[in-house]
PDB file of all heavy atoms in Angstrom:
ATOM      1  N   SER A  26       7.832 -13.920   5.556  1.00  0.00           N
ATOM      2  CA  SER A  26       8.286 -14.329   6.921  1.00  0.00           C
ATOM      3  C   SER A  26       7.087 -14.766   7.828  1.00  0.00           C
ATOM      4  O   SER A  26       7.323 -15.381   8.856  1.00  0.00           O
ATOM      5  CB  SER A  26       9.016 -13.216   7.600  1.00  0.00           C
ATOM      6  OG  SER A  26       8.159 -12.088   7.892  1.00  0.00           O
ATOM      7  N   GLY A  27       5.865 -14.353   7.457  1.00  0.00           N
ATOM      8  CA  GLY A  27       4.701 -14.680   8.278  1.00  0.00           C
ATOM      9  C   GLY A  27       4.607 -13.947   9.551  1.00  0.00           C
ATOM     10  O   GLY A  27       3.839 -14.405  10.455  1.00  0.00           O
ATOM     11  N   ASP A  28       5.296 -12.811   9.710  1.00  0.00           N
ATOM     12  CA  ASP A  28       5.260 -12.083  10.989  1.00  0.00           C
ATOM     13  C   ASP A  28       4.181 -11.002  11.037  1.00  0.00           C
ATOM     14  O   ASP A  28       4.115 -10.287  11.994  1.00  0.00           O
ATOM     15  CB  ASP A  28       6.624 -11.486  11.297  1.00  0.00           C
ATOM     16  CG  ASP A  28       7.104 -10.473  10.247  1.00  0.00           C
ATOM     17  OD1 ASP A  28       6.372 -10.206   9.319  1.00  0.00           O
ATOM     18  OD2 ASP A  28       8.155  -9.876  10.460  1.00  0.00           O
ATOM     19  N   GLY A  29       3.408 -10.916   9.993  1.00  0.00           N
ATOM     20  CA  GLY A  29       2.326  -9.856   9.939  1.00  0.00           C
ATOM     21  C   GLY A  29       2.830  -8.508   9.451  1.00  0.00           C
ATOM     22  O   GLY A  29       2.002  -7.592   9.473  1.00  0.00           O
ATOM     23  N   PHE A  30       4.032  -8.441   8.980  1.00  0.00           N
ATOM     24  CA  PHE A  30       4.558  -7.250   8.411  1.00  0.00           C
ATOM     25  C   PHE A  30       5.228  -7.574   7.124  1.00  0.00           C
ATOM     26  O   PHE A  30       5.794  -8.598   6.895  1.00  0.00           O
ATOM     27  CB  PHE A  30       5.555  -6.599   9.383  1.00  0.00           C
ATOM     28  CG  PHE A  30       4.981  -6.103  10.674  1.00  0.00           C
ATOM     29  CD1 PHE A  30       4.966  -6.937  11.798  1.00  0.00           C
ATOM     30  CD2 PHE A  30       4.336  -4.859  10.746  1.00  0.00           C
ATOM     31  CE1 PHE A  30       4.366  -6.525  12.971  1.00  0.00           C
ATOM     32  CE2 PHE A  30       3.798  -4.418  11.904  1.00  0.00           C
ATOM     33  CZ  PHE A  30       3.755  -5.252  13.009  1.00  0.00           C
ATOM     34  N   VAL A  31       5.236  -6.566   6.218  1.00  0.00           N
ATOM     35  CA  VAL A  31       6.021  -6.656   4.920  1.00  0.00           C
ATOM     36  C   VAL A  31       7.190  -5.657   5.081  1.00  0.00           C
ATOM     37  O   VAL A  31       6.926  -4.475   5.257  1.00  0.00           O
ATOM     38  CB  VAL A  31       5.174  -6.397   3.693  1.00  0.00           C
ATOM     39  CG1 VAL A  31       6.013  -6.302   2.472  1.00  0.00           C
ATOM     40  CG2 VAL A  31       4.064  -7.480   3.658  1.00  0.00           C
ATOM     41  N   THR A  32       8.410  -6.191   4.938  1.00  0.00           N
ATOM     42  CA  THR A  32       9.606  -5.319   4.932  1.00  0.00           C
ATOM     43  C   THR A  32       9.852  -4.893   3.456  1.00  0.00           C
ATOM     44  O   THR A  32       9.257  -5.380   2.517  1.00  0.00           O
ATOM     45  CB  THR A  32      10.785  -6.075   5.398  1.00  0.00           C
ATOM     46  OG1 THR A  32      11.095  -7.227   4.519  1.00  0.00           O
ATOM     47  CG2 THR A  32      10.581  -6.636   6.830  1.00  0.00           C
ATOM     48  N   TRP A  33      10.741  -3.975   3.365  1.00  0.00           N
ATOM     49  CA  TRP A  33      11.177  -3.478   1.986  1.00  0.00           C
ATOM     50  C   TRP A  33      11.633  -4.659   1.135  1.00  0.00           C
ATOM     51  O   TRP A  33      11.259  -4.827   0.006  1.00  0.00           O
ATOM     52  CB  TRP A  33      12.108  -2.371   2.051  1.00  0.00           C
ATOM     53  CG  TRP A  33      12.820  -2.168   0.720  1.00  0.00           C
ATOM     54  CD1 TRP A  33      14.070  -2.318   0.412  1.00  0.00           C
ATOM     55  CD2 TRP A  33      12.169  -1.769  -0.522  1.00  0.00           C
ATOM     56  NE1 TRP A  33      14.370  -2.090  -0.954  1.00  0.00           N
ATOM     57  CE2 TRP A  33      13.134  -1.679  -1.477  1.00  0.00           C
ATOM     58  CE3 TRP A  33      10.884  -1.458  -0.896  1.00  0.00           C
ATOM     59  CZ2 TRP A  33      12.895  -1.355  -2.829  1.00  0.00           C
ATOM     60  CZ3 TRP A  33      10.578  -1.078  -2.219  1.00  0.00           C
ATOM     61  CH2 TRP A  33      11.637  -1.098  -3.167  1.00  0.00           C
ATOM     62  N   ASP A  34      12.483  -5.564   1.749  1.00  0.00           N
ATOM     63  CA  ASP A  34      12.994  -6.690   1.047  1.00  0.00           C
ATOM     64  C   ASP A  34      11.903  -7.556   0.490  1.00  0.00           C
ATOM     65  O   ASP A  34      11.905  -7.995  -0.672  1.00  0.00           O
ATOM     66  CB  ASP A  34      13.996  -7.420   1.929  1.00  0.00           C
ATOM     67  CG  ASP A  34      15.274  -6.623   2.111  1.00  0.00           C
ATOM     68  OD1 ASP A  34      15.620  -5.727   1.358  1.00  0.00           O
ATOM     69  OD2 ASP A  34      15.965  -6.935   3.137  1.00  0.00           O
ATOM     70  N   GLU A  35      10.950  -7.884   1.376  1.00  0.00           N
ATOM     71  CA  GLU A  35       9.834  -8.722   0.930  1.00  0.00           C
ATOM     72  C   GLU A  35       8.998  -8.051  -0.153  1.00  0.00           C
ATOM     73  O   GLU A  35       8.582  -8.692  -1.176  1.00  0.00           O
ATOM     74  CB  GLU A  35       8.845  -8.974   2.165  1.00  0.00           C
ATOM     75  CG  GLU A  35       9.499  -9.962   3.160  1.00  0.00           C
ATOM     76  CD  GLU A  35       8.682 -10.089   4.429  1.00  0.00           C
ATOM     77  OE1 GLU A  35       8.099  -9.014   4.931  1.00  0.00           O
ATOM     78  OE2 GLU A  35       8.495 -11.219   4.892  1.00  0.00           O
ATOM     79  N   PHE A  36       8.738  -6.722   0.009  1.00  0.00           N
ATOM     80  CA  PHE A  36       8.053  -6.042  -0.998  1.00  0.00           C
ATOM     81  C   PHE A  36       8.716  -6.027  -2.329  1.00  0.00           C
ATOM     82  O   PHE A  36       8.106  -6.243  -3.372  1.00  0.00           O
ATOM     83  CB  PHE A  36       7.792  -4.512  -0.453  1.00  0.00           C
ATOM     84  CG  PHE A  36       6.747  -3.771  -1.263  1.00  0.00           C
ATOM     85  CD1 PHE A  36       5.393  -4.061  -1.180  1.00  0.00           C
ATOM     86  CD2 PHE A  36       7.105  -2.652  -1.994  1.00  0.00           C
ATOM     87  CE1 PHE A  36       4.461  -3.312  -1.878  1.00  0.00           C
ATOM     88  CE2 PHE A  36       6.210  -1.908  -2.712  1.00  0.00           C
ATOM     89  CZ  PHE A  36       4.905  -2.342  -2.636  1.00  0.00           C
ATOM     90  N   GLU A  37       9.965  -5.710  -2.287  1.00  0.00           N
ATOM     91  CA  GLU A  37      10.813  -5.629  -3.515  1.00  0.00           C
ATOM     92  C   GLU A  37      10.819  -6.979  -4.238  1.00  0.00           C
ATOM     93  O   GLU A  37      10.654  -7.127  -5.452  1.00  0.00           O
ATOM     94  CB  GLU A  37      12.217  -5.180  -3.191  1.00  0.00           C
ATOM     95  CG  GLU A  37      13.130  -4.994  -4.364  1.00  0.00           C
ATOM     96  CD  GLU A  37      14.494  -4.514  -3.973  1.00  0.00           C
ATOM     97  OE1 GLU A  37      15.012  -5.012  -2.937  1.00  0.00           O
ATOM     98  OE2 GLU A  37      15.044  -3.684  -4.636  1.00  0.00           O
ATOM     99  N   GLU A  38      10.889  -8.096  -3.425  1.00  0.00           N
ATOM    100  CA  GLU A  38      10.997  -9.395  -4.028  1.00  0.00           C
ATOM    101  C   GLU A  38       9.722  -9.784  -4.700  1.00  0.00           C
ATOM    102  O   GLU A  38       9.739 -10.311  -5.788  1.00  0.00           O
ATOM    103  CB  GLU A  38      11.302 -10.378  -2.869  1.00  0.00           C
ATOM    104  CG  GLU A  38      11.573 -11.804  -3.351  1.00  0.00           C
ATOM    105  CD  GLU A  38      12.788 -11.933  -4.329  1.00  0.00           C
ATOM    106  OE1 GLU A  38      13.787 -11.198  -4.088  1.00  0.00           O
ATOM    107  OE2 GLU A  38      12.751 -12.779  -5.227  1.00  0.00           O
TER     108      GLU A  38
END
Side-chain angles (χ1 to χ4, degrees):
S26 66
D28 64 357
F30 294 93
V31 172
T32 63
W33 164 244
D34 290 337
E35 289 173 317
F36 192 71
E37 185 178 40
E38 188 61 33

